[in-house]
Amino acid sequence: MYTLEEIDRILEKASRLEVAGNEPPGLYEPIGYMMSIGGKRIRPKLCLLAWNLTGETLDASVLYPAMALELYHEFTLMHDDIMDRSDTRRGHPTVYRKWDENTAILSGDAMMLLAYRYLSHAPADKLPEVLNLFTETAIRICEGQQYDMDFEKMALVTMDDYLGMIGLKTAALIACPAKMGGLLGGASPAACEALYRFGWELGLAFQITDDYLDTFGDEKVFGKRIGGDIVENKKTWLLVETMRRASPEQRKSLDKLLQLGPGAREEKVAEVRAIYEELGVKEAAESEIRSYRGKALDALAAAGFPAGRTEQLVRFTDEIISRRV
Amino acid sequence: MYTLEEIDRILEKASRLEVAGNEPPGLYEPIGYMMSIGGKRIRPKLCLLAWNLTGETLDASVLYPAMALELYHEFTLMHDDIMDRSDTRRGHPTVYRKWDENTAILSGDAMMLLAYRYLSHAPADKLPEVLNLFTETAIRICEGQQYDMDFEKMALVTMDDYLGMIGLKTAALIACPAKMGGLLGGASPAACEALYRFGWELGLAFQITDDYLDTFGDEKVFGKRIGGDIVENKKTWLLVETMRRASPEQRKSLDKLLQLGPGAREEKVAEVRAIYEELGVKEAAESEIRSYRGKALDALAAAGFPAGRTEQLVRFTDEIISRRV
């Protein structure tokens, strides 16, 4: 079993892989740029940690499929940034802005294909399952993104709607690496399914944490201005839960607030945040995150791996869900 | 060996396959629309005809990978229509126009993934090769599209540049089905390579024919107004060859003509066409198409299939390259 340090070092080296060709540069430079602006590689890491439960030798037939997940994730961000008209990502200009829309479309398409090229290094006996898991996950992400875009035009989004959407858009691409690591490592079918469930619950916790930190996080730690979701009226867990709890009068006040323009940013963020706290939504989010974290760890425990072996994954779980929540 | 009529009927039935899911409709309706507006399915047909040289039972493990090629082709058109800002395709509004850009991006992404879902039905022992052929082809198409976009900004494009670009953008997705059919049918590695070369030369002939017909075709047969490429200053085989043959004065006249705006459409098309004829470029194109057709049929003959067995493919070759050229 590899140590966490060994896994981190292997991933660090892998991130310097020449993932793309060279010609034409108009196609490949934006890909190199996207892969260099601070992706955290949590999906490949999760895949390797899951693999580490049963796997023996960490070679290209495991590492390259793991890297495919990062390529794929970054591709979805490149296209999302066009669809959201986002100017920056992690403090850097988006490809859409640094180059142009056509570039972001085409280089994104190429990234998706490079992900499949990397995925294809899986051992032949595991390829059909790994390929199907990856493709079905990727399709789910598209469905989730569609729902997310649909929600922008909907006045009311229920909690079921929201959980369905983040399941497809986010949890699927956390569940996938967890299961993929199991498949590549030769874990039993039942263990692989348990790993998928672990990843799914973890993914939900992760997204709700993301929503929570956008309003209640520490700007210095979070790395960006808080309140962006409030400014954009994004249907986050916080907003959806608030709409659920609000009385008709409170909902009216909230709707008025949400209509405030960018000039009233400070006021809007402060007042919506206050409503969240007033209605107990802040604590409810913290409780919900703890609950999904618990479900994730239960699923992991039910996978049947020897005690002690899953410690790395438990530590990883807490790394990616803020411990202050 | 299946007859051509049987192959056509199987393809006709397959085209009515429910290729996409249903929810959310915003994601899947545009895909259904794109697959319904008159694609000619030449790539799946070529795949099945190549398979038919050696294959025995035409089941889903052959038919679905063949259909993947059509899904993939239509996906590239959906994204190309955004990048080219095209309003219509085959007389119908493009998805970009009928819905919007975000829809064309996301539904396109989903189509690419559906293609991989279909491709995954290939038999497990053939899947690695089929998958690699498909992914490498798809990456080539992206590279070709990038060169095509780069060429718009280049004053001079050489014939080598042009042939390189259409090789990647078009010929690759004709060579791929030809080889894929061989792989799925169990043809020898040498025969599969010969089929790839056959498809590549055929693809070059096909694209040059496309360029030729856009200027010299019969509008009633061609299905759209002629001269579109001239109006857009597209670097077609005709224009590239003309630039090669033109004297400095002729090149100056041509450059002036190319700068004419859409108001002078009739004049621009008529005069550029006249220059093509004057410089012998029309006959040169006809000769070049015949030459690539010849190379394609030579490659096919060198594949080593029994005489008579390749007749369907020879007929298919002439079907897709206009016989009046």
Side-chain angles (χ1 to χ4, degrees), chain A residues 10 59 69 94 110 124 126 128 151 168 193 225 239 244 248 276:
Chain A
I10 289 167
D59 60 17
L69 298 159
T94 53
K126 308 210 161 94
F151 288 177
L168 294 169
E193 286 316 304
R225 275 181 90 184
L239 184 59
R244 193 161 78 155
Y276 288 169

Side-chain angles (χ1 to χ4, degrees), chain A:
Chain A
M1 197 179 183
Y2 290 70
T3 65
L4 263 176
E5 291 67 35
E6 286 170 325
I7 299 262
D8 279 332
R9 252 200 326 270
I10 289 167
L11 262 178
E12 172 60 39
K13 264 181 70 179
S15 72
R16 281 180 258 121
L17 274 173
E18 194 66 53
V19 296
N22 294 319
E23 302 287 327
L27 183 71
Y28 288 113
E29 276 172 15
I31 297 176
Y33 172 78
M34 191 71 188
M35 296 301 284
S36 75
I37 55 170
K40 298 183 296 300
R41 299 192 293 275
I42 68 172
R43 292 158 189 81
K45 184 163 179 174
L46 175 53
C47 181
L48 295 187
L49 291 178
W51 170 88
N52 206 23
L53 296 166
T54 50
E56 290 184 8
T57 317
L58 216 180
D59 60 17
S61 76
V62 179
L63 188 56
Y64 280 33
M67 290 303 296
L69 298 159
E70 188 69 6
L71 267 161
Y72 196 80
H73 173 61
E74 295 288 322
F75 143 73
T76 66
L77 301 182
M78 194 186 286
H79 275 194
D80 280 3
D81 286 340
I82 310 170
M83 292 185 272
D84 298 340
R85 304 282 181 277
S86 297
D87 293 335
T88 61
R89 176 165 289 282
R90 301 183 204 113
H92 297 263
T94 53
V95 169
Y96 157 69
R97 272 283 172 226
K98 189 175 165 73
W99 282 268
D100 53 48
E101 209 178 292
N102 284 7
T103 299
I105 292 173
L106 190 64
S107 293
D109 292 349
M111 278 185 90
M112 189 205 272
L113 296 165
L114 290 174
Y116 272 99
R117 181 192 268 170
Y118 269 71
L119 194 75
S120 305
H121 286 260
D125 62 326
K126 308 210 161 94
L127 182 61
E129 272 206 276
V130 164
L131 180 63
N132 290 342
L133 171 64
F134 184 88
T135 297
E136 294 311 307
T137 296
I139 290 170
R140 283 179 170 172
I141 296 168
C142 289
E143 294 175 347
Q145 170 67 359
Q146 181 68 48
Y147 282 119
D148 200 10
M149 297 196 306
D150 291 346
F151 288 177
E152 284 170 35
K153 306 187 211 101
M154 284 161 60
L156 200 71
V157 169
T158 69
M159 185 53 79
D160 277 348
D161 289 336
Y162 169 83
L163 292 172
M165 183 274 289
I166 66 166
L168 294 169
K169 187 172 173 175
T170 302
L173 198 56
I174 306 287
C176 171
K179 179 173 177 179
M180 191 180 290
L183 287 173
L184 292 166
S188 73
C192 290
E193 286 316 304
L195 283 167
Y196 190 86
R197 277 193 317 274
F198 157 71
W200 187 274
E201 305 291 349
L202 174 57
L204 296 177
F206 179 70
Q207 183 59 52
I208 299 168
T209 300
D210 217 63
D211 288 357
Y212 176 92
L213 291 173
D214 189 274
T215 294
F216 296 110
D218 182 330
E219 279 192 6
K220 287 187 229 70
V221 173
F222 196 42
K224 55 177 178 170
R225 275 181 90 184
I226 63 155
D229 290 345
I230 290 174
V231 172
E232 291 161 27
N233 296 352
K234 198 164 168 237
K235 305 290 197 302
T236 62
W237 192 94
L238 300 171
L239 184 59
V240 171
E241 179 62 11
T242 296
M243 289 300 204
R244 193 161 78 155
R245 295 182 175 213
S247 66
E249 296 81 34
Q250 285 168 323
R251 205 178 279 183
K252 270 206 197 110
S253 309
L254 189 50
D255 281 338
K256 274 215 189 77
L257 268 177
L258 293 178
Q259 279 166 58
L260 288 178
R265 192 190 203 279
E266 306 285 330
E267 179 197 345
K268 183 174 182 178
V269 172
E271 300 220 11
V272 172
R273 208 181 129 134
I275 293 177
Y276 288 169
E277 287 181 282
E278 199 177 305
L279 284 172
V281 165
K282 180 175 192 260
E283 283 88 22
E286 293 166 5
S287 165
E288 195 77 336
I289 291 162
R290 277 192 302 269
S291 166
Y292 281 114
R293 176 185 174 276
K295 287 184 197 168
L297 296 178
D298 289 345
L300 183 59
F305 295 103
R309 234 178 148 77
T310 55
E311 228 184 271
Q312 286 179 346
L313 274 171
V314 175
R315 279 178 59 180
F316 176 82
T317 297
D318 287 326
E319 245 176 67
I320 73 169
I321 305 168
S322 167
R323 297 196 89 161
R324 268 168 301 143
V325 179

